[in-house]
Amino acid sequence: MKFPSEPFKIKVVEPIRRTTHEERDRLLREAGYNLFHVPAQSVYVDLLTDSGTSAMSDDQWAGLMLGDESYAGSKNYYHLEETVRSIFGYKHVIPTHQGRMAENLLFSTIVKSGMCIPNNIHVDTTRANVEHQGAQALDVVIKEAYDPHCELPFKGNMDLVRLEEAINRVGRNRIPLVMLTITNNSGGGQPVSMDNIRQTRALLNRYRIPLFFDACRFAENCFFVKERELGYASKSILDIARELFSYGDGCIMSAKKDGLVNIGGFLSLNNDQWAQGFPTYGGLAGRDLEAMARGLHEVLDEDYLSFRVGQVRYLGELLDQAGVPILKPIGGHAVYLNAKEFLPHIQQAQFPAQALVAALYREYGIRGVEIGTVMFGKLDSATGRTIHPELEMVRLAIPRRVYTNMQITYVAESIIELYRWRERIHGLALTYEAPVLRHFTARFKELEEKPLVQQAAS
Ligand SMILES: *Cc1c(COP(=O)(O)O)cnc(C)c1O
């Protein structure tokens, strides 16, 4: 079946509310056109993120009742440890409350000022944690990753030529480890091939540099390997995961993604000396550890994964067939609208992706997130002008097991309708921005005048 139907039935429902156009218009103005400030209660389909938004299974909820809240030696910790070892294969398992804490433990222990951490593409939190140590966060993904039209099966792959150049330029002693993000979140949820991982390992062996995975969406990555890579079609997801992690020395994990929980994460690694430096028991209750252990088993289920990846693909293909410009190929956890092509009449200085996010909410009650000039635009201090990022996208991240295919159909039909009258969407102007992470707090106003024609030089 091309788009598998839901491999679950619904036992508990959370009502969601349809709001009126008038109400959404008012909320949008009050929020300064920033969807981070719109109450979730007033959103009909919320595609802001797939992080921590998963629906847990009845087995996970039952596991919460079996939480052992002993100060030391909780049985749920042992269950999690055994589960992580059986999938990831690393010796030490250190639970954390989310992924960024695992990053912080790892990087604050082994990264020193002047060092460099290569990755296919760093996500914002690993980049911030590396830079916080005074080190450089270097992106070494294949160059095709930056072309929204280039369709490759493994567009998250490491560029091995550039990685070796970087090692020679920076020096082996200033690279304490190399990372691979699976799937490559910031590059559109694109997978990394087993072959590329094997070759990365072989290259790093020559320089004796450890390899760590940013493993948040590892099961989705393994599913793509099974589907697309020669020799893996008849292997189980568990066997693929075990092989994949065998090429590494450790991983960081946000269980808010492929752990199918609302909070949790861990750091897992082989190095005894590094592991000794981590003074934590995670800050999670025993019941949270239990839900995480159970989620890690469930996420390997192939029926679940083919529905999960299939649902994202279903949305992407409905849009693509209707001519809506999206990032290709469709990734594992989200569909990305190409706002530059969706709204060619709005120049980048007028925030086309943010304007599209605002229109999607006002017209249909759907919440996406801007990944473009608001998030990544930088001020050039020499000229006082904004440097715009190459890509101007709206990410529609699909929470796991939360929305039915009918709700996803609603999203597709809404966007297709919006695309038909796209000329009527106006650009925005900034009215407030904070000095750092402005996308969370920025405010805008709508430019009512006729949109300007895109200028060739902008
Ligand atoms: C979400 C994410 C993180 C950070 O995890 P949190 O649980 O949000 O702290 C790190 N890396 C990747 C690839 C992620 O998607």
Side-chain angles (χ1 to χ4, degrees):
M1 216 189 308
K2 191 162 180 212
F3 300 117
S5 55
E6 292 80 356
F8 49 80
K9 56 184 179 174
I10 295 167
K11 179 155 14 202
V12 176
V13 296
E14 175 184 341
I16 49 178
R17 204 163 61 88
R18 290 178 191 277
T19 45
T20 62
H21 188 279
E22 190 187 350
E23 183 182 353
R24 293 191 299 268
D25 185 57
R26 177 177 56 77
L27 288 169
L28 195 60
R29 286 169 199 278
E30 283 170 12
Y33 295 83
N34 186 335
L35 273 289
F36 284 103
H37 296 311
V38 169
Q41 291 264 305
S42 304
V43 175
Y44 180 58
V45 180
D46 200 348
L47 307 181
L48 184 67
T49 180
D50 66 322
S51 178
T53 51
S54 302
M56 293 206 296
S57 66
D58 53 358
D59 189 59
Q60 286 176 293
W61 280 101
L64 291 182
M65 285 307 291
L66 301 177
D68 166 3
E69 306 306 342
S70 310
Y71 190 81
S74 156
K75 69 175 183 197
N76 312 113
Y77 172 75
Y78 295 126
H79 185 199
L80 178 70
E81 184 180 59
E82 174 199 312
T83 302
V84 173
R85 281 187 185 152
S86 76
I87 300 168
F88 297 79
Y90 307 126
K91 189 171 162 194
H92 303 283
V93 180
I94 299 140
T96 59
H97 71 282
Q98 51 181 112
R100 62 198 68 185
M101 194 57 214
E103 295 160 12
N104 186 274
L105 286 173
L106 180 68
F107 296 140
S108 63
T109 307
I110 59 148
V111 177
K112 305 277 177 285
S113 173
M115 287 183 168
C116 172
I117 306 289
N119 198 335
N120 43 0
I121 303 186
H122 283 275
V123 288
D124 52 354
T125 54
T126 64
R127 185 179 308 282
N129 268 306
V130 168
E131 289 175 353
H132 186 68
Q133 303 300 324
Q136 184 195 7
L138 185 68
D139 296 336
V140 206
V141 73
I142 53 172
K143 63 178 187 315
E144 291 87 346
Y146 296 103
D147 175 358
H149 299 286
C150 176
E151 295 212 44
L152 286 180
F154 293 102
K155 220 175 155 183
N157 279 358
M158 188 75 101
D159 185 331
L160 294 155
V161 173
R162 281 175 55 223
L163 178 61
E164 184 154 24
E165 279 168 13
I167 295 171
N168 289 321
R169 188 176 65 243
V170 175
R172 185 250 160 264
N173 294 335
R174 290 206 290 137
I175 302 182
L177 59 84
V178 167
M179 298 203 82
L180 266 174
T181 304
I182 54 171
T183 59
N184 186 23
N185 181 2
S186 307
Q190 305 291 335
V192 180
S193 73
M194 193 72 88
D195 185 53
N196 187 255
I197 294 170
R198 216 180 284 123
Q199 290 193 47
T200 303
R201 173 81 260 178
L203 172 67
L204 296 181
N205 277 349
R206 286 198 269 121
Y207 293 90
R208 295 195 317 282
I209 299 175
L211 175 63
F212 270 64
F213 293 99
D214 186 344
C216 301
R217 297 179 182 80
F218 76 97
E220 289 164 12
N221 200 101
C222 291
F223 183 80
F224 283 118
V225 166
K226 182 174 170 100
E227 199 180 54
R228 296 178 181 173
E229 199 162 349
L230 202 66
Y232 289 93
S234 61
K235 296 217 161 100
S236 72
I237 300 293
L238 176 60
D239 284 343
I240 295 171
R242 284 175 173 161
E243 182 188 339
L244 186 155
F245 290 112
S246 76
Y247 300 123
D249 300 281
C251 70
I252 51 172
M253 174 78 189
S254 168
K256 297 171 72 173
K257 284 67 172 249
D258 274 353
L260 295 174
V261 287
N262 308 116
I263 196 72
F266 57 84
L267 167 61
S268 190
L269 74 172
N270 287 330
N271 189 314
D272 297 326
Q273 218 185 332
W274 287 358
Q276 270 180 5
F278 305 135
T280 180
Y281 60 94
L284 289 174
R287 54 178 172 268
D288 297 323
L289 302 177
E290 187 59 33
M292 200 182 340
R294 291 178 183 219
L296 287 168
H297 284 292
E298 285 176 16
V299 80
L300 300 172
D301 175 46
E302 222 164 288
D303 272 346
Y304 158 75
L305 280 170
S306 49
F307 164 72
R308 159 67 178 160
V309 173
Q311 190 179 47
V312 176
R313 193 173 295 161
Y314 171 61
L315 174 59
E317 289 196 6
L318 286 176
L319 296 174
D320 191 39
Q321 279 158 16
V324 176
I326 61 168
L327 174 89
K328 301 253 249 359
I330 298 156
H333 68 290
V335 173
Y336 294 70
L337 304 175
N338 187 337
K340 268 189 188 172
E341 293 176 7
F342 199 113
L343 301 171
H345 58 285
I346 301 180
Q347 51 173 306
Q348 239 180 323
Q350 295 178 358
F351 308 105
Q354 188 67 27
L356 187 50
V357 165
L360 255 181
Y361 177 68
R362 180 161 54 199
E363 303 308 319
Y364 306 103
I366 298 164
R367 176 156 70 173
V369 68
E370 193 255 20
I371 302 195
T373 299
V374 182
M375 197 177 270
F376 293 121
K378 285 196 202 104
L379 201 64
D380 181 346
S381 51
T383 62
R385 292 175 53 173
T386 302
I387 307 169
H388 299 291
E390 180 54 33
L391 296 180
E392 191 73 31
M393 298 282 175
V394 172
R395 186 184 75 180
L396 306 167
I398 316 285
R400 294 169 182 77
R401 305 192 289 208
V402 170
Y403 292 115
T404 62
N405 282 344
M406 203 53 152
Q407 287 162 326
I408 297 299
T409 309
Y410 167 79
V411 172
E413 286 176 353
S414 301
I415 295 171
I416 292 165
E417 187 176 84
L418 188 65
Y419 187 60
R420 281 202 208 104
W421 55 266
R422 59 192 178 273
E423 296 83 16
R424 286 189 247 162
I425 300 175
H426 296 288
L428 301 173
L430 256 180
T431 58
Y432 167 76
E433 66 177 307
V436 288
L437 295 173
R438 67 173 178 174
H439 53 284
F440 290 120
T441 54
R443 298 184 69 84
F444 303 86
K445 65 174 189 205
E446 203 168 359
L447 296 166
E448 302 288 347
E449 69 268 34
K450 204 175 173 321
L452 302 171
V453 177
Q454 172 119 27
Q455 290 161 6
S458 74

